[in-house]
Amino acid sequence: MYDYDLLVVGSANADLVIGVERRPGPGETVLGSDLAVHPGGKGGNQAVAAARLGARTALLARVGDDAYGRLLLDSQRAAGVDTVGVLVGGAPTGVALITVDPSGDNSIVVSPGANGKLTPGDVRAAGSLFHASRVVSTQLEVPLETVREVVRSLSPGSRFVLNPSPPRPLPAEVLAACDPLIVNEHEAKVLLGGSCVGEEPEDWARLLLAKGPRSVVVTLGAAGALVASSEGVARVPSVRVEAVDTTGAGDAFTAALAWRLGAGESLARAAAYAARVGAVAVTRAGAQESYPTAAEVAAL
């Protein structure tokens, strides 16, 4: 019996968001909207998104002993996330600087802060969380050696989900554990490196599978997603919505997918549900504030 449907290991940032009419070019200054501060970080986002859907969720992360760290802890607890694994101190809380244009597209620069201090030792010390979790999800806003330790700490029978963002080459040990590896177009091309990528997402998925993951999901924005495993490759449609802000939508997708996989759904069905969650999220401003409940997803 698992205590948690999902354990998220990863980053927790304060998102500093400014709306802009257009992004500045080199050496250019543009005026933007008033600054808005939101709880974020890929790990924190995934944990809140899953908990809001109804998953029993825990977060293993590190924040600073500062106002941003308290903001992040309050947000996690308000969503129902168990923060027993959130460590405090060692560096200032991580910060993401985000610009959002009128179409809802965003550009993000991350200062890792305390996220860079989440160590393999922290993972080993949280062994009881891993043994209690059906699915473990992580990203790459924490050190790669910490992600490697996550793989080594997995409980027998648990499932590992990885969104390699920001993308970088991955060791074979990590790739082999992914079930699935979740990438967007940019992340897929970085991971494939010099491989002959081709123009179709199906090509990317097959090439990525050949690198060792047990399954692969390629997110395609408004076009939905694509799932690939030893059983084949299939497209998963999305729901047509009017996008307001895409910040954190990929995190909502990953969290929903991980939760539904842990509940026993097939990869294609879990991805279809996750696409609906992501579609709701982009219709609202912000990251964690935009994440829907299960009832709101059902009503879409």
Side-chain angles (χ1 to χ4, degrees):
M1 177 65 181
Y2 294 100
D3 295 326
Y4 303 107
D5 299 310
L6 178 63
L7 168 63
V8 180
V9 184
S11 58
N13 295 326
D15 288 348
L16 278 56
V17 184
I18 299 177
V20 294
E21 287 300 316
R22 61 181 178 82
R23 295 181 182 86
E28 182 184 14
T29 298
V30 300
L31 293 177
S33 68
D34 291 341
L35 174 69
V37 180
H38 304 282
K42 289 186 175 297
N45 287 350
Q46 287 183 16
V48 167
R52 200 160 287 163
L53 290 168
R56 297 169 300 165
T57 308
L59 175 64
L60 174 57
R62 184 176 286 275
V63 299
D65 185 11
D66 50 36
Y68 288 153
R70 290 185 286 276
L71 169 72
L72 294 171
L73 281 167
D74 288 345
S75 175
Q76 294 293 317
R77 291 164 179 160
V81 176
D82 190 335
T83 60
V84 66
V86 180
L87 305 168
V88 179
T93 299
V95 173
L97 307 176
I98 304 173
T99 58
V100 182
D101 70 17
S103 73
D105 285 334
N106 61 64
S107 295
I108 305 174
V109 179
V110 175
S111 173
N115 298 307
K117 304 297 184 181
L118 187 68
T119 67
D122 294 332
V123 171
R124 290 190 291 271
S128 60
L129 282 177
F130 287 88
H131 288 297
S133 300
R134 186 182 304 277
V135 180
V136 177
S137 175
T138 191
Q139 329 77 37
L140 298 183
E141 287 184 339
V142 295
L144 186 56
E145 59 266 28
T146 302
V147 174
R148 191 196 298 262
E149 191 62 34
V150 168
V151 169
R152 294 173 178 172
S153 300
L154 294 172
S155 178
S158 66
R159 191 162 186 162
F160 178 64
V161 176
L162 173 65
N163 171 219
S165 179
R168 71 190 80 168
L170 294 170
E173 178 183 12
V174 172
L175 282 169
C178 296
D179 193 16
L181 175 74
I182 304 176
V183 294
N184 61 21
E185 176 180 354
H186 170 66
E187 293 154 2
K189 291 181 176 179
V190 171
L191 291 184
L192 289 171
S195 303
C196 181
V197 174
E199 296 299 323
E200 297 299 324
E202 286 83 356
D203 298 329
W204 313 336
R206 292 187 181 98
L207 288 167
L208 286 169
L209 268 181
K211 289 182 174 291
R214 301 177 193 180
S215 59
V216 171
V217 175
V218 181
T219 59
L220 303 171
L226 180 148
V227 301
S229 67
S230 59
E231 298 178 358
V233 180
R235 291 265 186 161
V236 176
S238 187
V239 179
R240 188 179 297 274
V241 295
E242 190 70 29
V244 171
D245 182 1
T246 59
T247 305
D251 302 326
F253 178 97
T254 298
L257 178 71
W259 174 47
R260 297 317 301 159
L261 287 173
E265 290 191 351
S266 69
L267 185 61
R269 286 181 61 86
Y273 182 82
R276 294 171 67 87
V277 173
V280 177
V282 302
T283 65
R284 305 167 179 173
Q288 294 179 18
E289 303 95 320
S290 73
Y291 295 155
T293 64
E296 289 171 326
V297 177
L300 181 63

